[in-house]
Amino acid sequence: MYAIVETGGKQYRVQNGDVLKVELLKGEVGEEIVLDKVLMNGKDDSIEIGKPYIEGASVKAEIVSFGRNDKILVFKYKSKKNERKMHGHRQDYVELRITEVI
Protein backbone atom coordinates (compact mmCIF):
# COMPACT_ATOMS: atom_id res chain seq x y z
CA MET A 1 0.00 0.00 0.00
CA TYR A 2 1.31 3.45 -0.88
CA ALA A 3 0.14 7.05 -0.70
CA ILE A 4 0.97 10.42 -2.20
CA VAL A 5 1.18 13.09 0.49
CA GLU A 6 1.74 16.83 0.36
CA THR A 7 4.02 18.60 2.82
CA GLY A 8 6.12 21.72 2.49
CA GLY A 9 4.55 22.53 -0.88
CA LYS A 10 5.87 19.31 -2.43
CA GLN A 11 4.35 15.91 -3.12
CA TYR A 12 5.94 12.60 -2.11
CA ARG A 13 5.08 8.97 -2.89
CA VAL A 14 5.50 7.01 0.35
CA GLN A 15 4.99 3.49 1.67
CA ASN A 16 5.78 1.73 4.93
CA GLY A 17 9.47 1.84 5.86
CA ASP A 18 10.45 4.69 3.52
CA VAL A 19 12.86 7.36 4.76
CA LEU A 20 12.59 10.78 3.15
CA LYS A 21 13.77 14.36 3.63
CA VAL A 22 11.05 17.02 3.74
CA GLU A 23 10.90 20.72 4.55
CA LEU A 24 11.38 21.53 8.23
CA LEU A 25 8.52 20.47 10.54
CA LYS A 26 8.15 21.15 14.25
CA GLY A 27 8.87 18.29 16.60
CA GLU A 28 11.67 16.37 18.27
CA VAL A 29 13.66 13.29 17.31
CA GLY A 30 11.65 10.14 17.99
CA GLU A 31 8.32 11.97 17.99
CA GLU A 32 5.50 10.66 15.81
CA ILE A 33 3.74 13.07 13.45
CA VAL A 34 0.70 12.64 11.23
CA LEU A 35 0.65 13.83 7.62
CA ASP A 36 -3.04 14.34 6.83
CA LYS A 37 -2.85 15.91 3.35
CA VAL A 38 -3.17 12.64 1.42
CA LEU A 39 -3.77 13.18 -2.31
CA MET A 40 -3.97 9.52 -3.37
CA ASN A 41 -4.04 6.05 -1.81
CA GLY A 42 -3.06 2.99 -3.77
CA LYS A 43 -3.46 -0.69 -2.97
CA ASP A 44 -2.82 -3.68 -5.22
CA ASP A 45 -5.02 -2.77 -8.20
CA SER A 46 -7.26 -0.07 -6.75
CA ILE A 47 -6.52 3.59 -6.25
CA GLU A 48 -8.44 6.30 -4.44
CA ILE A 49 -7.98 9.91 -5.55
CA GLY A 50 -8.94 12.89 -3.40
CA LYS A 51 -10.57 16.15 -4.42
CA PRO A 52 -8.07 17.62 -3.46
CA TYR A 53 -7.47 15.49 -0.33
CA ILE A 54 -8.91 12.17 0.88
CA GLU A 55 -10.99 12.63 4.02
CA GLY A 56 -9.99 10.35 6.88
CA ALA A 57 -6.74 9.23 5.24
CA SER A 58 -3.41 9.93 6.90
CA VAL A 59 0.19 8.81 7.05
CA LYS A 60 2.06 8.33 10.33
CA ALA A 61 5.78 9.06 10.40
CA GLU A 62 8.55 9.17 12.97
CA ILE A 63 11.15 11.96 13.05
CA VAL A 64 14.60 10.43 12.55
CA SER A 65 16.85 13.52 12.41
CA PHE A 66 17.19 17.18 11.50
CA GLY A 67 19.74 18.72 9.18
CA ARG A 68 20.62 21.21 6.48
CA ASN A 69 20.99 20.56 2.76
CA ASP A 70 24.05 21.48 0.73
CA LYS A 71 24.60 25.14 0.00
CA ILE A 72 23.29 26.52 -3.26
CA LEU A 73 24.73 29.71 -4.72
CA VAL A 74 22.48 32.38 -6.16
CA PHE A 75 24.34 34.78 -8.46
CA LYS A 76 22.64 37.80 -9.98
CA TYR A 77 24.24 40.32 -12.28
CA LYS A 78 23.40 42.96 -14.82
CA SER A 79 25.62 43.03 -17.86
CA LYS A 80 27.65 46.15 -18.62
CA LYS A 81 26.65 47.75 -15.28
CA ASN A 82 29.27 46.20 -12.93
CA GLU A 83 26.40 45.08 -10.70
CA ARG A 84 26.84 41.65 -9.10
CA LYS A 85 25.31 39.90 -6.10
CA MET A 86 26.15 36.46 -4.78
CA HIS A 87 24.18 34.82 -1.99
CA GLY A 88 24.30 31.36 -0.51
CA HIS A 89 21.39 29.40 0.95
CA ARG A 90 21.09 26.18 2.97
CA GLN A 91 17.59 24.78 3.44
CA ASP A 92 16.67 23.10 6.73
CA TYR A 93 15.05 19.66 6.52
CA VAL A 94 13.68 16.90 8.70
CA GLU A 95 14.21 13.22 7.92
CA LEU A 96 11.08 11.08 8.37
CA ARG A 97 10.57 7.31 8.53
CA ILE A 98 7.08 6.27 7.40
CA THR A 99 5.55 3.90 9.92
CA GLU A 100 1.96 3.48 8.74
CA VAL A 101 -0.21 4.39 5.76
CA ILE A 102 -3.87 4.62 6.79
Side-chain angles (χ1 to χ4, degrees):
M1 182 169 181
Y2 67 93
I4 296 179
V5 297
E6 180 182 335
T7 180
K10 298 176 181 72
Q11 298 174 3
Y12 301 94
R13 182 187 189 274
V14 297
Q15 57 188 13
N16 290 342
D18 284 353
V19 176
L20 63 138
K21 293 180 181 179
V22 300
E23 301 290 322
L24 189 63
L25 299 170
K26 292 183 179 179
E28 297 183 14
V29 175
E31 187 176 327
E32 187 175 280
I33 62 170
V34 177
L35 304 171
D36 57 351
K37 291 186 177 180
V38 178
L39 300 166
M40 187 176 96
N41 264 344
K43 293 183 182 174
D44 297 325
D45 289 334
S46 63
I47 57 174
E48 182 181 357
I49 299 173
K51 297 178 184 177
Y53 305 116
I54 300 172
E55 289 186 27
S58 62
V59 173
K60 291 184 180 178
E62 176 189 352
I63 296 177
V64 177
S65 66
F66 292 93
R68 298 182 82 188
N69 283 324
D70 295 335
K71 181 179 275 193
I72 61 167
L73 296 178
V74 179
F75 184 72
K76 296 181 181 182
Y77 78 100
K78 294 188 179 177
S79 61
K80 303 177 193 142
K81 304 292 182 192
N82 199 21
E83 185 175 330
R84 295 177 176 87
K85 291 182 186 178
M86 180 178 282
H87 296 284
H89 177 74
R90 292 182 69 188
Q91 184 68 38
D92 295 324
Y93 70 84
V94 60
E95 195 169 17
L96 300 176
R97 178 177 293 117
I98 306 301
T99 56
E100 186 176 3
V101 177
I102 301 173

